[in-house]
């Protein structure tokens, strides 16, 4: 053990000695309930300790009882028949009601029930159910009948009802009887111990830290290519594809594994020594010489962070090369102390500089070759691309929901020096995964929709990390633009951007975790009548994590679970379906998901003919934006089929045919995006023509000596422009929807409006001449 590490551990022990005294025994930290701790770790001299780890002796957090859904019980006759009535006498329902109400009001009973897990809410629900059971049952169990009869005849005390009440309460709330077991299953402390294969070897962790375009990933990949075996784990399919091709081009046989695709270089299907995969698909049991984990800062992502945590803690590789932002160094170093592994840090500087300009673009007339306008919504993409086209320029378009092939095609078009397309309009999808020859990044806005920890959507200013990730795409070592520039479209945003980029990136402090299928199955064993969504809610409610971890957002999982709850599926299949990566904002995709699950539940294979009927294949080229959006949704449906086909091969048998169809669809979408402005114009010609004319008017503005526009950048003007667009759009759509306008009338109005615009200059000249003549006549009369 190095001296530096000993000093670091000693300082940590001093800092946390009060919270660790109860836990640290025999030179190590005992495993928490539900975890496996290898004795060999102590023998190897491992030090297993972590920040703010909850002690197993500390009181567990109270469960969220609002998640406890009562189980419905039948009020059929008791198995004892009428034995109770024969031994005593029939019960008077009105007297029974008085007895039960007295029991409910007893403070002592409420306190006793609370000590056994029934808080006020559960106590009330259990009592309502118990009262209904007693009053509606044709015959009660003999023991309960006798006790109630004694109380009604003043031979017993109302408190004697308590044991029978609790028996009933545990029947409708089965979690009360197994709370300790549920807490053990949902104990997520010390997740490093979940991976015994990784803990059985001494791994070397190398952190390659640096900004975008610093060569950090390149250095890690060079070591990956030189190894006898290796795995690359990336956040995107495009990145996995890039490493897959680069590896095979370098003569290193490499397989590709993503959620929707398995490509083996060996004709017989034997696994190669190297594999490039999306991070969710990496194996934590296969041994490798080298593993590369890209974009490690995503370990704190609310939705996908668990995949980076799993890869970092679980990969069985002699060397783990981690690439990412310097803001993650301290956290990764501390996380690795929980496994007894040191971190070697290599820092890199950006290979090509980028500068923040002192002026905004202000007008689309000021665009230059190599410019990339970054938007945070599809509507902005459509609006800006059609305004650029109105100025006689061609632009490429890239956004997240486009198929990978179409993204690559648009990137190639923009990068090609012989192509007339010199402008790129894109979302932050360009932040990683595409090699682009960009000279200047232009932020159209600094606000984007985001999902907070509670799963709530809201608008917020982009973070420093996001701004740097996007800005770093300007200027690239391997492109013709060796130096990059960054600015904003509107001058009001420029000082905000400068402030964002001047701040340091918030250090990473936590890593994501996610319940596994095995844990949910164990929960279901104890709670067989609970829905999957309810099981996951209870799991998260009871889960215990230490200060280094958090449970990832599970709203998308629950959304899918609720959607197919009525479909009869076994728990494992239901869980797999609910982990499918689909866009829940697309109604057609959600409907397809539902149909897939229903067909699967009938044990009927989803054949190629079936899927073709569902998506109405073959499909024609898009005629407007609505058609293009539908084609993108169909592509996602085919992605869903391929994703499920690797989990249920027998039920999704026609993978090859569906993949070929998806490639054809990708080509159709690619052709549609090539002419996206035509599609936009076809969607609403009136609004498009107005926007184009409006854009050309805005282009007639002067520029100062610095080259920046000085007439179109004020906040008020932008607000008026956007407001006018919204009013025009809503008015047109409302009139058409209400039947007051038809497409024919719209075309006629367009022609008349265009004609008036052409005549306006001549009319203006005539009016000016007429006014001039009148003024001269007046002056002549005055002189006389």
């Amino acid at each position: 053990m190095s001296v530096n590490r000993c000093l670091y551990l000693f300082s940590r022990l001093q800092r946390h000695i009060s919270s660790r005294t109860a836990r640290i025994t025999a030179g190590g930290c005992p495993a928490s309930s539900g975890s496996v701790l290898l004795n060999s770790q102590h023998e190897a001299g491992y030090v297993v300790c972590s920040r703010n780890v909850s002690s197993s002796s500390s009181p567990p957090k109270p469960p969220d009882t609002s998640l406890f859904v009562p189980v419905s019980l039948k009020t059929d006759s008791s198995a004892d028949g009428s034995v109770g009535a024969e031994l005593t006498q029939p019960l008077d329902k009105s007297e029974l009601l008085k007895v039960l109400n007295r029991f409910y009001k007893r403070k002592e009973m409420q306190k006793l029930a609370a000590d056994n897990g029934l808080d006020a809410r559960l106590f009330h629900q259990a009592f309502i159910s118990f009262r209904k059971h007693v009053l509606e049952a044709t015959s009660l169990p003999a023991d309960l009948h006798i006790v109630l009869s004694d109380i009604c005849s003043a031979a017993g005390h109302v408190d004697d009802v308590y044991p029978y009440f609790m028996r009933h309460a545990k029947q409708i709330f089965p979690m009360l009887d197994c709370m300790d077991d549920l807490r053990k299953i949902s104990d997520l402390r010390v997740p490093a111990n979940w991976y015994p294969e990784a803990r059985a070897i001494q791994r070397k962790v190398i952190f390659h830290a640096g900004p975008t375009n610093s060569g950090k990933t390149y250095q890690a990949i060079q070591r990956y290519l030189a190894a006898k075996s290796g795995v690359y784990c990336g956040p995107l399919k495009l990145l996995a594809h890039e490493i897959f091709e680069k590896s095979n081009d370098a003569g290193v046989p490499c397989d590709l594994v993503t959620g929707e695709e398995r490509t083996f270089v060996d004709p017989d299907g034997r696994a190669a020594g190297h594999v490039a995969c999306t991070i969710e698909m990496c194996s934590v049991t296969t041994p490798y010489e080298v593993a590369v984990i890209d974009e490690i800062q995503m370990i704190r992502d609310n939705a996908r962070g668990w995949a980076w945590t799993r890869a970092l803690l679980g990969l069985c590789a002699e060397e783990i090369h981690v690439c990412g932002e310097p803001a993650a160094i301290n956290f990764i170093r501390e996380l690795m102390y929980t496994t007894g592994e040191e971190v070697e840090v290599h820092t890199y500087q950006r290979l090509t500089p980028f500068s923040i300009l002192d002026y905004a673009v202000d007008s689309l007339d000021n665009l230059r070759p190599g410019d990339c306008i970054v938007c945070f919504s599809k509507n902005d993409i459509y609006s800006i691309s059609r305004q650029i086209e109105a100025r006689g320029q061609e632009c490429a378009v890239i956004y997240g929901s486009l198929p990978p092939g179409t993204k690559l095609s648009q990137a190639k078009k923009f990068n090609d020096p012989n192509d007339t397309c010199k402008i790129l309009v894109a979302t932050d999808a360009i932040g990683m995964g595409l090699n682009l020859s960009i000279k200047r990044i232009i932020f159209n806005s600094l606000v984007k929709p985001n999902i907070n920890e509670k799963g709530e959507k809201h608008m917020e200013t982009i973070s420093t990390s996001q701004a740097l990730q996007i800005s770093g795409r300007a200027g690239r070592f391997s492109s013709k633009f060796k130096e990059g520039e960054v600015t904003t479209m509107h001058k009001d945003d420029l000082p905000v951007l400068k402030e964002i980029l001047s701040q340091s990136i918030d250090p990473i402090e936590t890593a994501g975790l996610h319940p596994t299928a095995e844990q949910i199955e164990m929960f279901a064993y104890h709670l067989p009548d609970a829905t999957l969504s309810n099981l996951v809610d209870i799991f998260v409610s009871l889960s215990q994590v230490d200060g280094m971890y958090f449970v990832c957002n599970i709203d998308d999982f629950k959304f899918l679970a609720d959607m197919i709850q009525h479909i009869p599926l076994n728990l494992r299949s239901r869980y797999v379906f609910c982990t499918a990566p689909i866009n829940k904002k697309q109604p057609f995709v959600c409907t397809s998901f539902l149909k897939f699950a229903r067909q699967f539940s009938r044990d009927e294979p989803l054949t190629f003919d079936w899927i073709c009927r569902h998506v109405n294949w073959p499909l024609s080229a898009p005629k407007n934006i609505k058609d293009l959006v539908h084609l993108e949704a169909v592509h996602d449906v085919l992605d869903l089929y391929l994703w499920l086909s690797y989990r249920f091969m027998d039920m999704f048998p026609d993978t090859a045919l569906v993949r070929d169809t998806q490639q054809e669809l990708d080509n159709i979408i690619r052709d549609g995006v090539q002419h996206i402005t035509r599609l936009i114009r076809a969607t609403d010609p009136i609004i498009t023509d107005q926007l184009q004319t409006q854009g050309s008017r805005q282009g007639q503005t002067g520029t100062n000596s610095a080259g920046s526009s000085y007439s179109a950048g004020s906040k008020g003007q932008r607000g008026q422009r956007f407001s006018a667009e919204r009013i025009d759009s809503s008015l047109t759509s409302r009139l058409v929807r209400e039947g007051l306008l038809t497409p024919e009338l719209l075309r006629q109005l367009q022609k008349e409006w265009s004609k008036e615009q052409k005549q306006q200059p001549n009319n203006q000249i005539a009016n000016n001449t007429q006014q001039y003549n009148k003024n001269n006549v007046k002056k002549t009369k005055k002189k006389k």
Side-chain angles (χ1 to χ4, degrees):
M1 186 183 294
S2 66
V3 174
N4 289 336
R5 184 176 169 205
C6 289
L7 292 174
Y8 183 84
L9 286 174
F10 182 72
S11 65
R12 281 169 49 84
L13 287 171
Q14 283 185 321
R15 189 166 68 247
H16 301 298
I17 192 68
S18 60
S19 63
R20 298 186 176 193
T21 302
R23 290 185 291 107
I24 300 179
T25 59
C29 302
S32 62
S33 301
S35 302
V36 179
L37 181 62
L38 301 179
N39 293 328
S40 59
Q41 289 182 341
H42 297 288
E43 296 170 4
Y46 288 177
V47 178
V48 182
C49 48
S50 58
R51 169 180 58 180
N52 297 332
V53 177
S54 301
S55 169
S56 57
S57 61
S58 61
K61 63 178 181 180
D64 182 0
T65 58
S66 65
L67 302 174
F68 292 179
V69 179
V71 176
S72 298
L73 299 179
K74 295 181 180 179
T75 57
D76 294 342
S77 301
S78 168
D80 296 340
S82 58
V83 173
E86 293 174 0
L87 293 175
T88 56
Q89 58 184 355
L91 297 173
D92 184 348
K93 300 293 184 181
S94 60
E95 289 297 322
L96 278 181
L97 184 58
K98 294 178 183 178
V99 169
L100 294 175
N101 287 340
R102 291 208 315 271
F103 170 81
Y104 177 75
K105 295 176 182 178
R106 292 271 296 167
K107 298 296 183 185
E108 294 83 358
M109 293 299 97
Q110 295 178 16
K111 184 178 183 306
L112 192 59
D115 293 340
N116 285 274
L118 284 178
D119 62 9
R121 179 182 174 279
L122 295 186
F123 182 82
H124 177 74
Q125 283 187 294
F127 174 76
I128 297 298
S129 178
F130 181 67
R131 183 178 63 185
K132 180 180 178 182
H133 170 68
V134 170
L135 295 179
E136 294 183 2
T138 55
S139 62
L140 295 172
D143 53 352
L144 177 57
H145 187 106
I146 293 171
V147 167
L148 291 174
S149 177
D150 289 345
I151 297 173
C152 290
S153 59
H157 194 276
V158 70
D159 292 355
D160 296 340
V161 174
Y162 177 77
Y164 305 97
F165 166 76
M166 281 303 300
R167 183 174 68 185
H168 182 86
K170 289 180 179 180
Q171 286 179 316
I172 66 169
F173 294 117
M175 60 283 297
L176 296 175
D177 237 358
C178 55
M179 191 60 68
D180 290 341
D181 290 332
L182 296 180
R183 290 188 188 280
K184 289 178 182 179
I185 297 168
S186 59
D187 191 338
L188 302 182
R189 294 171 294 182
V190 198
N193 295 331
W194 301 349
Y195 308 101
E197 292 90 348
R199 301 290 76 77
I201 60 176
Q202 184 68 28
R203 306 181 308 170
K204 181 180 180 181
V205 182
I206 300 100
F207 195 124
H208 300 270
T212 305
N213 195 23
S214 61
K216 58 184 184 297
T217 306
Y218 172 82
Q219 295 296 330
I221 294 301
Q222 292 305 110
R223 178 68 187 95
Y224 163 83
L225 295 175
K228 296 178 181 177
S229 63
V231 58
Y232 168 82
C233 307
L236 301 172
K237 288 184 284 188
L238 282 175
L239 285 171
H241 270 275
E242 181 183 344
I243 301 303
F244 165 72
E245 293 175 353
K246 183 179 294 186
S247 182
N248 286 298
D249 290 344
V252 179
C254 177
D255 296 334
L256 175 69
V257 177
T258 69
E260 300 82 13
E261 187 175 359
R262 309 285 191 278
T263 302
F264 297 97
V265 293
D266 187 278
D268 298 327
R270 286 190 294 267
H274 289 69
V275 60
C277 64
T278 45
I279 194 157
E280 286 88 352
M281 301 306 298
C282 70
S283 169
V284 293
T285 56
T286 305
Y288 300 101
E289 182 182 347
V290 170
V292 178
I293 304 175
D294 209 356
E295 305 294 350
I296 189 62
Q297 68 274 5
M298 291 190 71
I299 199 170
R300 67 176 167 191
D301 186 80
N302 278 335
R304 298 177 65 200
W306 63 269
W308 276 263
T309 304
R310 174 178 172 269
L312 183 61
L313 297 178
L315 281 171
C316 299
E318 298 170 20
E319 291 182 24
I320 307 287
H321 289 259
V322 178
C323 307
E325 296 175 354
I329 293 176
N330 290 336
F331 177 74
I332 299 303
R333 181 181 280 127
E334 190 170 358
L335 197 62
M336 288 298 96
Y337 279 130
T338 67
T339 65
E341 296 159 346
E342 295 186 42
V343 179
E344 178 183 315
V345 179
H346 298 173
T347 56
Y348 302 82
Q349 300 301 318
R350 186 175 167 82
L351 297 175
T352 56
F354 75 83
S355 57
I356 308 174
L357 300 180
D358 291 328
Y359 56 89
V361 174
D362 276 333
S363 170
L364 295 176
D365 288 325
N366 297 327
L367 294 178
R368 304 194 297 257
D371 279 351
C372 172
I373 305 174
V374 177
C375 309
F376 295 114
S377 76
K378 261 199 213 180
N379 289 335
D380 288 344
I381 292 275
Y382 297 152
S383 174
I384 289 176
S385 61
R386 62 188 175 187
Q387 291 182 57
I388 292 174
E389 189 259 359
R391 288 163 167 78
Q393 297 190 67
E394 191 177 353
C395 65
V397 173
I398 296 175
Y399 49 86
S401 59
L402 285 177
T406 304
K407 289 179 186 174
L408 291 172
S409 172
Q410 290 290 294
K412 183 179 179 181
K413 179 181 176 68
F414 173 71
N415 289 336
D416 187 356
N418 299 321
D419 198 291
T420 56
C421 173
K422 303 297 180 186
I423 307 296
L424 175 64
V425 184
T427 62
D428 51 344
I430 64 164
M432 59 180 76
L434 288 169
N435 292 320
L436 296 164
S437 184
I438 298 173
K439 171 63 176 177
R440 182 170 62 167
I441 288 286
I442 303 167
F443 285 90
N444 184 60
S445 169
L446 297 176
V447 178
K448 67 172 292 186
N450 202 0
I451 305 295
N452 61 19
E453 295 179 357
K454 298 180 180 179
E456 300 167 342
K457 185 176 180 179
H458 60 101
M459 303 297 292
E460 66 177 20
T461 305
I462 60 173
S463 66
T464 300
S465 175
Q466 292 168 331
L468 286 172
Q469 186 80 32
I470 298 169
S471 300
R473 309 302 288 179
R476 191 168 183 84
F477 183 71
S478 58
S479 75
K480 63 180 178 181
F481 300 118
K482 301 303 180 184
E483 295 186 8
E485 299 172 344
V486 181
T487 186
T488 60
M489 179 61 69
H490 310 293
K491 63 184 180 183
D492 291 350
D493 291 334
L494 189 56
V496 180
L497 177 63
K498 289 182 176 180
E499 182 181 354
I500 292 173
L501 292 176
S502 67
Q503 297 172 355
S504 58
I505 300 177
D506 293 335
I508 293 174
E509 298 179 342
T510 53
L513 296 173
H514 193 280
T516 65
E518 291 77 13
Q519 289 169 322
I520 298 301
E521 280 182 337
M522 287 190 284
F523 251 56
Y525 173 79
H526 292 288
L527 306 174
D529 296 311
T531 65
L532 178 56
S533 179
N534 191 227
L535 285 174
V536 174
D537 271 334
I538 296 174
F539 183 97
V540 173
S541 170
L542 295 177
S543 63
Q544 289 181 275
V545 296
D546 67 30
M548 300 182 74
Y549 300 96
F550 67 93
V551 179
C552 286
N553 188 285
I554 56 171
D555 285 350
D556 287 350
F557 182 95
K558 288 171 52 185
F559 174 82
L560 298 181
D562 290 335
M563 189 189 303
I564 61 173
Q565 180 55 43
H566 66 286
I567 298 176
L569 294 169
N570 63 62
L571 184 66
R572 178 57 69 103
S573 297
R574 191 182 300 276
Y575 181 92
V576 172
F577 264 85
C578 294
T579 55
I582 74 170
N583 183 1
K584 67 180 183 181
K585 298 177 184 177
Q586 287 278 11
F588 183 72
V589 178
C590 293
T591 302
S592 303
F593 174 79
L594 191 61
K595 290 183 178 179
F596 281 17
R598 187 175 293 117
Q599 182 82 350
F600 182 92
S601 70
R602 299 187 187 116
D603 204 23
E604 298 176 5
L606 286 83
T607 61
F608 178 70
D609 291 338
W610 185 92
I611 193 73
C612 285
R613 288 195 303 272
H614 172 64
V615 301
N616 293 320
W617 185 261
L619 295 167
S620 57
K623 298 178 181 178
N624 50 47
I625 287 296
K626 184 179 179 181
D627 291 346
L628 179 63
V629 171
H630 177 69
L631 292 181
E632 292 170 5
V634 173
H635 191 279
D636 286 348
V637 170
L638 299 183
D639 252 354
L640 174 63
Y641 183 98
L642 295 173
W643 191 90
L644 290 168
S645 71
Y646 289 107
R647 279 83 181 165
F648 308 105
M649 295 183 181
D650 294 340
M651 298 299 294
F652 296 83
D654 296 329
T655 304
L657 292 172
V658 171
R659 191 176 303 284
D660 292 341
T661 301
Q662 191 183 45
Q663 185 59 53
E664 290 182 45
L665 179 59
D666 196 335
N667 294 333
I668 295 173
I669 295 174
R670 189 179 309 175
D671 292 340
V673 173
Q674 293 278 20
H675 308 93
I676 192 166
T677 50
R678 175 173 56 80
L679 302 182
I680 297 168
R681 198 181 309 117
T683 303
D684 198 336
I686 292 294
I687 298 174
T688 301
D689 190 67
Q690 289 178 353
L691 279 169
Q692 291 172 354
T693 306
Q694 196 172 29
S696 63
R697 286 178 179 173
Q698 292 167 3
Q700 299 169 0
T701 57
T703 56
N704 57 24
S705 58
S708 63
S709 169
Y710 54 76
S711 66
S714 70
K715 186 174 182 181
Q717 288 171 328
R718 287 212 311 276
Q720 292 171 5
R721 183 174 70 250
F722 293 160
S723 176
E725 289 178 17
R726 282 195 296 268
I727 291 172
D728 289 344
S729 176
S730 61
L731 178 60
T732 305
S733 61
R734 181 163 56 85
L735 291 174
V736 172
R737 189 168 59 248
E738 293 176 0
L740 301 177
L741 276 180
T742 64
E744 183 61 30
L745 285 174
L746 283 175
R747 284 191 289 271
Q748 187 176 347
L749 285 172
Q750 181 186 11
K751 291 178 182 178
E752 293 178 2
W753 186 79
S754 299
K755 186 177 180 181
E756 289 174 3
Q757 292 297 315
K758 291 178 182 178
Q759 293 175 350
Q760 186 175 356
N762 296 331
N763 294 338
Q764 188 65 43
I765 293 172
N767 291 336
N768 291 340
T769 303
Q770 187 178 4
Q771 186 65 37
Y772 177 79
N773 293 335
K774 288 181 179 179
N775 291 339
N776 284 341
V777 171
K778 289 180 180 179
K779 289 179 181 178
T780 304
K781 288 181 177 179
K782 286 182 179 179
K783 288 180 180 179
K784 290 180 179 179

